[in-house]
Amino acid sequence: MKSLALSIAMAVLAGCTVAIPASAIAASPAAQKVPLPGNSVYQLDVQLTDQAGRTSAWRDRRGKPQLVSMFYTSCQYICPLIIDSGKAVQKQLSDAERARLGITLISMDPARDTPQALAKVATQRKLDPAQWTLASPAPDDVRSVAGVLNIRYRALADGEFNHTSALVLLDGEGRILARTEKMGSKPDPEFVEAVRKALK
Amino acid sequence: MIRVIAAAVLVASPFVGVLAAEGDYLPIPAGRFASALNYEDAPGKQPVAAYSMMRTPVTNADFLAFVKANPKWRRDRVPTVIAEKRYLSHWAGPLELGDTAKPDQPVVQVSWFAADAYCAAEGARLPTWTEWEYAAAADETRRDARSDRIWRERILRWYSRPSNTALPRAGLQPANVYGVQDLHGLVWEWTEDFSSMLMDADNRNQGDPDNARFCGAGALSMNDRDNYAVLMRVAMLSSLSAEATTANLGFRCVKDTP
């Protein structure tokens, strides 16, 4: 198992001048055969539909460290800060490191967050699709995704959501390595350190 | 009519436990309901749509049947990310109840994910907090007994019972006005939206950088400060994560009224 993780890491390293989509790595048959660890969030069997309208299993993101958060596109206040936070972490990384890190923002409002709505935010915020995925789960799966990420939320009467905001760092196997609830353009130094370590 | 049924159930209570093992669902009519929780975004009474609710919490026997049919929920196979290590740890084996888990006792040591999966397998779902609270506001004769101090004290007495003694079996208590049993006094119960309870431990935190934890308005506060029983449930549910299990937390399912 260690050696497999290493060989995936090597493959990513070798390809670091071009961004390799996580799906390409995960598609390698060898990666699929090794069972996921019991503490991997990818144990959760959910499908995500991204900003390009592609639907795939969340666990297909296996193989590459990820920053994950939950958000919704009509959010006025904190959710833009979640994107700022992801960008702020990216800024602390070298080009090579940045190419090895995926960022996945999962919607808590799938009814409104269609691929079009997600793509609009991705374009407006200039989010490189090689690194950023904005995606919606099926409505019945939102509470489960939030459950494995330990994010709390409640739909409000006006269509907004009350929710905790966190960036969660996953290793290539989907295990939670670190989380931060400090949002904004000034990144949490301890969290950035954890990201760097995960990319080594 | 409803009172007559309630009275009949009361009289028949020694036998109700046997009947309740089937996990049957009872209709809960629509209504308007003032939660003990204060939702800033939706003050006043909330509309509650009709649904049906299990008569009793899910029992060990019920849950064993589910695990047998869905082996991925065996305690020796389930990933820790969706059920912590204590999951079903009071059973004698992965498919064996044993002396510490009688078939008709409510199942406990189940995570939210496991409870959610059980209900889904029944074509049902976990109740929302509001649905649970709405049904649990009733006593044997009234849909909303919450203003009755004696009723409240009765619930609190149940809650003060030590949790290290064996749980009674499900279905022993008098049915409420809907025919539903054991909403109080047996086990705590998961709700679908347990993680919607964003209680701020201390509202003096305003202006603190930590208030960015919550997006926008809508943090909860208690509407009814005298209702300690509800406060205890909220405090308990809001402290749990979805993979957590405890020795006195079970669940029951509900179905939408078609």
Side-chain angles (χ1 to χ4, degrees):
Chain A
M1 178 110 128
K2 271 248 167 71
S3 68
L4 177 81
L6 192 66
S7 66
I8 292 171
M10 295 299 286
V12 176
L13 273 168
C16 67
T17 50
V18 275
I20 300 175
S23 56
I25 298 163
S28 95
Q32 301 288 1
K33 277 182 195 151
V34 178
L36 280 167
N39 56 351
S40 168
V41 300
Y42 300 143
Q43 291 281 356
L44 200 63
D45 189 12
V46 294
Q47 302 284 316
L48 298 175
T49 302
D50 70 12
Q51 72 266 40
R54 284 181 301 242
T55 299
S56 58
W58 188 13
R59 69 171 57 114
D60 287 353
R61 314 199 69 71
R62 186 182 185 187
K64 187 177 184 177
Q66 301 276 326
L67 291 188
V68 184
S69 189
M70 293 186 75
F71 83 126
Y72 61 105
T73 63
S74 54
C75 175
Q76 310 276 320
Y77 174 48
I78 294 279
C79 302
L81 279 182
I82 295 174
I83 293 177
D84 291 344
S85 306
K87 285 183 164 181
V89 172
Q90 282 188 311
K91 263 190 203 146
Q92 303 289 313
L93 305 176
S94 68
D95 288 351
E97 286 172 325
R98 203 173 302 132
R100 293 201 293 278
L101 180 70
I103 303 182
T104 304
L105 301 184
I106 301 176
S107 172
M108 65 185 79
D109 187 15
R112 287 184 294 175
D113 285 343
T114 59
Q116 293 75 20
L118 298 168
K120 195 175 157 204
V121 169
T123 308
Q124 276 171 352
R125 301 299 311 270
K126 301 186 171 63
L127 305 179
D128 182 346
Q131 286 140 22
W132 290 77
T133 303
L134 278 55
S136 286
D140 284 352
D141 289 334
V142 175
R143 190 71 67 189
S144 297
V145 172
V148 292
L149 297 174
N150 199 12
I151 288 174
R152 309 181 81 85
Y153 72 93
R154 185 168 71 86
L156 302 179
D158 62 0
E160 296 275 325
F161 287 78
N162 185 16
H163 64 97
T164 53
S165 301
L167 279 184
V168 178
L169 172 65
L170 303 181
D171 72 6
E173 294 291 284
R175 289 172 291 215
I176 295 177
L177 298 176
R179 69 189 282 129
T180 181
E181 298 196 351
K182 288 182 187 146
M183 293 291 122
S185 49
K186 260 200 207 155
D188 177 347
E190 274 178 47
F191 186 74
V192 172
E193 200 39 53
V195 172
R196 281 226 179 84
K197 212 173 129 198
L199 293 171
K200 269 178 190 153
Chain B
M1 175 64 185
I2 286 170
R3 280 178 191 230
V4 174
I5 293 170
V9 173
L10 270 169
V11 170
S13 60
F15 308 105
V16 167
V18 181
L19 298 173
E22 304 303 319
D24 46 348
Y25 288 77
L26 297 166
I28 313 288
R32 290 184 67 78
F33 182 67
S35 174
L37 301 180
N38 180 28
Y39 299 107
E40 283 173 23
D41 58 303
K45 289 193 171 184
Q46 312 303 318
V48 180
Y51 57 101
S52 56
M53 181 176 244
M54 277 185 177
R55 183 193 297 272
T56 61
V58 171
T59 63
N60 282 314
D62 297 332
F63 204 80
L64 178 61
F66 165 74
V67 172
K68 282 181 175 166
N70 301 275
K72 71 175 219 183
W73 288 102
R74 288 167 55 133
R75 72 177 191 198
D76 56 341
R77 295 190 186 172
V78 73
T80 53
V81 75
I82 51 175
E84 65 163 300
K85 284 208 164 64
R86 289 184 300 178
Y87 170 73
L88 299 179
S89 56
H90 60 310
W91 286 13
L95 296 173
E96 200 187 335
L97 298 182
D99 291 340
T100 52
K102 297 276 192 283
D104 51 6
Q105 282 177 323
V107 68
V108 292
Q109 301 288 17
V110 280
S111 69
W112 178 88
F113 291 107
D116 185 59
Y118 180 99
C119 293
E122 290 243 322
R125 58 181 175 80
L126 287 169
T128 63
W129 165 263
T130 305
E131 286 168 336
W132 194 94
E133 190 190 2
Y134 178 68
D139 71 357
E140 292 87 336
T141 57
R142 296 165 289 187
R143 284 194 185 181
D144 191 345
R146 295 175 300 168
S147 60
D148 182 347
R149 200 158 287 275
I150 295 167
W151 184 77
R152 287 180 179 187
E153 280 165 12
R154 201 171 100 194
I155 291 169
L156 284 174
R157 261 202 311 282
W158 279 323
Y159 288 175
S160 65
R161 195 179 53 209
S163 60
N164 57 1
T165 54
L167 288 169
R169 62 186 163 96
L172 282 180
Q173 297 180 73
N176 74 10
V177 72
Y178 308 114
V180 174
Q181 294 172 282
D182 299 330
L183 284 164
H184 301 285
L186 184 56
V187 285
W188 308 94
E189 295 180 14
W190 282 110
T191 64
E192 184 275 334
D193 52 354
F194 79 98
S195 65
S196 72
M197 292 172 172
L198 296 146
M199 295 285 275
D200 200 338
D202 185 343
N203 57 15
R204 285 173 300 182
N205 285 345
Q206 282 173 9
D208 193 275
D210 272 356
N211 69 5
R213 282 186 71 206
F214 302 152
C215 184
L220 286 177
S221 56
M222 290 294 290
N223 238 350
D224 182 358
R225 287 170 194 279
D226 293 330
N227 201 334
Y228 296 114
V230 174
L231 181 66
M232 285 167 70
R233 281 193 182 263
V234 171
M236 209 274 305
L237 285 175
S238 67
S239 69
L240 291 170
S241 52
E243 81 286 1
T245 78
T246 83
N248 52 12
L249 176 65
F251 70 100
R252 73 179 78 211
C253 315
V254 298
K255 288 179 178 172
D256 293 318
T257 298

